[in-house]
Amino acid sequence: VQARNRGDLEWEEFACQQNDLDCVALLCPDGMSWDMVAGKCKEVTGYTCCTACTQEYKCFTAEEAQIVKCCYAEGVVPSAYKQVCRQRYLWVQWKKKCLRKN
């Protein structure tokens, strides 16, 4: 499955075998973990996730969340921006997973 962003770059959905922990770790941003049964990322207990105003989808501990500005808190619509999981990976909110750049 492929998706295109506004810059017309290609992003690829990928799957991992359950025992390939390196691959599974790339499916979700830090602070989230992959739920094999549900087929999506879920927040790790003690973390809050949002699109930061740096256009990165990130998860924060309770202490960090108090100083981080989430774009929705600033009146910015996060879905209008590319939400990066990590370098070369794009967060797709409705899929609850990261896609990688082709």
Side-chain angles (χ1 to χ4, degrees):
V1 175
Q2 293 185 358
R4 292 184 183 270
N5 71 6
R6 290 181 185 179
D8 206 33
L9 298 174
E10 292 188 9
W11 302 91
E12 173 184 48
E13 186 170 351
F14 62 101
C16 303
Q17 293 189 2
Q18 190 169 356
N19 61 349
D20 187 348
L21 301 181
D22 291 333
C23 180
V24 170
L26 295 173
L27 289 167
C28 304
D30 292 336
M32 295 185 96
S33 62
W34 184 250
D35 183 322
M36 285 285 192
V37 175
K40 63 183 179 180
C41 297
K42 293 190 174 180
E43 286 182 19
V44 172
T45 302
Y47 282 81
T48 300
C49 303
C50 70
T51 300
C53 290
T54 58
Q55 298 182 18
E56 292 179 89
Y57 190 82
K58 297 185 86 168
C59 300
F60 308 95
T61 62
E63 295 101 28
E64 293 171 322
Q66 293 177 11
I67 58 172
V68 172
K69 289 186 180 179
C70 294
C71 281
Y72 63 78
E74 299 297 316
V76 177
V77 181
S79 62
Y81 294 91
K82 178 175 65 171
Q83 300 174 40
V84 180
C85 290
R86 62 182 53 80
Q87 187 175 359
R88 300 183 57 82
Y89 288 83
L90 178 74
W91 174 251
V92 180
Q93 180 66 31
W94 67 274
K95 287 184 173 281
K96 300 278 190 221
K97 70 186 292 188
C98 300
L99 302 185
R100 68 179 166 209
K101 186 176 179 184
N102 267 344

